[in-house]
Amino acid sequence: MTDADLTTDRLVLRSWPPAEARAVLDGARLGHWAEDFPDEGDHVIVGLFDKFPAWLDEYGHRQVIERDSGLVVGSIGLFWPPSDGTLEIGYGIVPSRRGRGYAPEATRALAEFAFTAPGVHTVHANVELSNPASIRVLEKAGFRRTHTDAEQNTARYVTTPPPQR
């Protein structure tokens, strides 16, 4: 682990090492990746790192690593920089590890970390209404629906920092 890693009970959220991003783009397989990592969404995000280099900074995208196995099982990220104090979050866990609660656990941890960035007051996600699993992830992570766009078949979920005591 590094000082920049975020840890939860079962996961480590680690910034993408450049060599591993390159391995995804090159179609390589690394021994510490789950057998079905990277998933389609990982390919898309890694393919955008050159266009959006800030996504590799401290508040950007991270690999999701199982603490018990040490395997990379997904990715999660903040679409940096914030816009008017708001950051978008996106996540994906490979099929072999879904249903274990990893996505809400990682989402909650990264959202909490996002609030340590200067001026960030809201983290949001847009989800297709036809994706009930992603809606459950957001609800379990403490996000609430604030807007539904029936025309686009999407909903917006947000979370804000807890009140200071």
Side-chain angles (χ1 to χ4, degrees), residues 32-129:
H32 64 281
W33 289 355
E35 63 278 358
D36 48 352
F37 182 86
D39 207 359
E40 182 181 339
D42 302 308
H43 286 278
V44 171
I45 291 299
V46 170
L48 292 169
F49 285 167
D50 282 343
K51 185 175 180 181
F52 301 101
W55 289 4
L56 290 171
D57 291 345
E58 178 183 14
Y59 291 102
H61 287 260
R62 294 166 180 261
Q63 295 175 328
V64 178
I65 302 165
E66 280 180 324
R67 288 179 69 178
D68 286 346
S69 71
L71 295 175
V72 178
V73 299
S75 63
I76 188 167
L78 298 166
F79 295 93
W80 193 261
S83 173
D84 296 324
T86 300
L87 279 171
E88 183 175 1
I89 193 169
Y91 48 84
I93 301 295
V94 295
S96 67
R97 299 309 198 277
R98 291 181 187 155
R100 299 179 186 195
Y102 288 170
E105 186 174 328
T107 300
R108 192 171 28 257
L110 192 59
E112 289 172 5
F113 178 69
F115 296 126
T116 69
V120 172
H121 55 73
T122 304
V123 177
H124 81 273
N126 295 313
V127 62
E128 293 181 7
L129 295 173

